[in-house]
Amino acid sequence: MLASAQTRGTETFFVMSNNADKNQVIEFVQNSDGTVVAKETFDTQGRGTGGVNDPLEAQGSLTLSADRSLLFAANAGSGDITVFQVIGGRLIFLNRQASGGSNPVAIAQSQNRVYVLNQGGAGSVVGFQMGFRGQLLPIANSTAFLSANAAGGSSISISPDGQTLAVVERLTNNIDTFHINANGTLGTLVANPSAGVGAFSGRFAPNGKLIVSETGSTISAISSYAVNSNGTLSAVTQSLTTNGSANCWNAITPNGAFVYASNAGTSNISGFSIGKNGALTALNSSSIVASNPENATNLDITISGDGKFFYSLNAMVGTVGVFAIQPNGTLLEVDEIPGFTAAEGFNGIAAL
């Protein structure tokens, strides 16, 4: 049973179309009666890749700055990045910048720097300095290549102290770390084999631990790591089962208390608490804390800036699942919001 609209506060979130002809960002807002609708569409002025389901095979193609004042969109088809200013929930186009590589799929931001993961070609990470009105200025000599050609880079994340950048390579099952130098260039790549099978997305928690989603061979899992001073990783929790399949994405609450895993194959969400040392513990005996409609194939997931709401991009049914995050970390279903066409290659979700 859905929770009443009165349990919700003001909501605004964004979903990216990844359309091959004209990539767009759709704004969803809450009306005064509590209903949430697709309100406005904003052109990135770039192109996506199109497709049917999860064509980017990555997390972070639509990324908000830490202060929620800027929104970055990856235009994988045209090889560039769009920067929007966020004012009162609306988007204002600021500029578009070449990604410095091929097929950009994920973006990470820390203070006045932005790093882009290019999945195509040799695979690379490129750094940018943020200038006036969100202009992205390439940092000289900041391009760093992944461990192999066609490595399948699928996520990028920056540690809370701004010192380490982590990239997950989906096809090699490596987790790459780079030291971020004072001038924004990247140090030597350190390739760490994933503790489990099918590493896909790595996100840093506020305590500095890296949490990685693993698709697994049959049942998916989630691991957490400490980053050592030399860039190597030490597993804290190794391949804890999500009791679902195709876990490719994870989202961490702003206070660092909980992490949620998106099991696309079973159309449900798993939840875990994060200990001070980074250890993960399932929130209940099954770890499943929410279910989406059958065959929803939930992809990207995100959490609102105030940590109160969880959003699930259900690409194969064309909806967004909305859940209220309870004090104990469990999820209470609030709504299932239509607003885009199913199975048309949508990728990327971000919430204010």
Side-chain angles (χ1 to χ4, degrees), residues 160 230 301 343:
N230 62 358
I301 54 177

Side-chain angles (χ1 to χ4, degrees), residues 64-70 72 109-111:
L64 281 161
S65 61
D67 64 2
R68 262 60 181 179
S69 68
L70 297 172
F72 306 96
Q109 175 262 340
S110 177
Q111 298 181 352

Side-chain angles (χ1 to χ4, degrees), residues 2-352:
L2 301 184
S4 68
Q6 284 70 33
T7 64
R8 305 210 296 263
T10 301
E11 300 172 34
T12 301
F13 61 92
F14 307 96
V15 173
M16 190 172 74
S17 73
N18 188 41
N19 184 276
D21 296 320
K22 184 168 66 172
N23 194 15
Q24 296 179 313
V25 176
I26 303 171
E27 174 198 26
F28 290 79
V29 297
Q30 182 182 357
N31 292 324
S32 58
D33 63 359
T35 59
V36 177
V37 296
K39 181 180 180 182
E40 197 165 351
T41 300
F42 303 89
D43 292 345
T44 68
Q45 300 185 25
R47 293 179 287 105
T49 63
V52 176
N53 183 54
D54 191 27
L56 299 184
E57 296 183 300
Q59 181 170 11
S61 58
L62 196 62
T63 299
L64 281 161
S65 61
D67 64 2
R68 262 60 181 179
S69 68
L70 297 172
L71 181 70
F72 306 96
N75 301 307
S78 51
D80 46 47
I81 303 300
T82 296
V83 185
F84 293 101
Q85 186 175 13
V86 184
I87 298 180
R90 295 192 72 256
L91 301 181
I92 297 174
F93 178 91
L94 294 181
N95 57 78
R96 190 169 134 233
Q97 170 68 44
S99 71
S102 172
N103 195 33
V105 295
I107 303 160
Q109 175 262 340
S110 177
Q111 298 181 352
N112 62 344
R113 290 180 184 145
V114 172
Y115 293 87
V116 177
L117 173 61
N118 293 297
Q119 192 180 76
S124 64
V125 177
V126 180
F128 298 85
Q129 194 83 12
M130 278 200 297
F132 178 69
R133 288 182 59 80
Q135 183 179 11
L136 297 183
L137 307 171
I139 298 172
N141 302 313
S142 68
T143 298
F145 293 99
L146 304 187
S147 70
N149 290 337
S154 51
S155 76
I156 183 171
S157 186
I158 300 172
S159 61
D161 62 6
Q163 298 294 302
T164 302
L165 184 147
V167 171
V168 173
E169 297 180 355
R170 179 177 53 84
L171 298 180
T172 65
N173 207 39
N174 282 339
I175 305 167
D176 301 334
T177 59
F178 301 86
H179 176 71
I180 301 176
N181 298 318
N183 63 358
T185 60
L186 299 175
T188 303
L189 176 150
V190 178
N192 299 274
S194 169
V197 177
F200 191 105
S201 178
R203 321 299 290 174
F204 276 106
N207 64 4
K209 300 302 187 290
L210 182 67
I211 299 179
V212 177
S213 287
E214 302 164 0
T215 60
S217 54
T218 53
I219 299 296
S220 292
I222 192 166
S223 295
S224 60
Y225 299 87
V227 182
N228 302 315
S229 59
N230 62 358
T232 59
L233 301 178
S234 297
V236 179
T237 294
Q238 183 170 329
S239 296
L240 179 62
T241 180
T242 67
N243 285 302
S245 67
N247 164 33
C248 300
W249 304 265
N250 67 69
I252 301 167
T253 54
N255 64 3
F258 308 109
V259 59
Y260 301 95
S262 179
N263 301 308
T266 44
S267 297
N268 54 24
I269 307 296
S270 301
F272 306 86
S273 63
I274 306 172
K276 291 183 179 179
N277 67 344
L280 305 178
T281 303
L283 291 178
N284 56 39
S285 59
S286 72
S287 80
I288 304 298
V289 293
S291 294
N292 284 306
E294 187 177 1
N295 300 319
T297 317
N298 34 275
L299 304 180
D300 244 342
I301 54 177
T302 194
I303 293 171
S304 60
D306 59 10
K308 294 181 179 180
F309 294 96
F310 171 95
Y311 303 90
S312 170
L313 175 57
N314 302 329
M316 291 302 282
V317 294
T319 67
V320 173
V322 183
F323 301 83
I325 301 174
Q326 305 302 292
N328 64 358
T330 58
L331 299 180
L332 176 65
E333 187 175 7
V334 169
D335 210 346
E336 188 73 21
I337 302 167
F340 58 93
T341 305
E344 283 205 349
F346 276 70
N347 266 125
I349 185 169
L352 293 180

